[in-house]
Amino acid sequence: MLCFNAQAQSIPLQQAPVQQPVGRIYGTVTDSADNVVMGAHITLISNNTKEQRTLITGSTGFFDFTGLDSGKYQVSITSAGFAGWTTSEILLTPGQY
């Protein structure tokens, strides 16, 4: 089983340039024993624009999607030997920490 510990963060709206991406979604992928999962494929899809980005975790299991616009995102995680995991309920809003 893959576990997902993620954070969503954006800078306050008054500090963000107009029409500029302001947020990030980042975290660490671990297994059920809390060991980091190296080589996990993380796919991020914007529910608003359908833009898709993919990252692969390194030796620390860490991933970091930066330069994101506010809105809802879907995150999917896959890795050999594990059941996949998906959520479509990550909401990135201005001023969120």
Side-chain angles (χ1 to χ4, degrees):
M1 173 170 69
L2 291 173
C3 301
F4 173 66
N5 176 18
Q7 302 287 324
Q9 179 182 37
S10 64
I11 61 175
L13 193 57
Q14 65 271 20
Q15 294 178 11
V18 176
Q19 301 284 330
Q20 296 296 315
V22 296
R24 67 192 281 220
I25 295 174
Y26 61 97
T28 303
V29 179
T30 60
D31 64 16
S32 58
D34 208 29
N35 299 307
V36 298
V37 177
M38 182 174 152
H41 291 249
I42 317 297
T43 302
L44 176 79
I45 301 172
S46 166
N47 290 358
N48 295 338
T49 67
K50 305 305 180 206
E51 176 188 1
Q52 180 175 314
R53 299 186 198 179
T54 301
L55 295 174
I56 300 173
T57 59
S59 61
T60 63
F62 184 75
F63 64 92
D64 191 0
F65 293 99
T66 60
L68 302 176
D69 293 321
S70 295
K72 270 193 170 181
Y73 289 87
Q74 174 181 308
V75 175
S76 298
I77 304 173
T78 58
S79 186
F82 293 96
W85 182 89
T86 300
T87 185
S88 59
E89 296 302 318
I90 296 179
L91 179 62
L92 189 61
T93 59
Q96 178 180 350
Y97 292 100

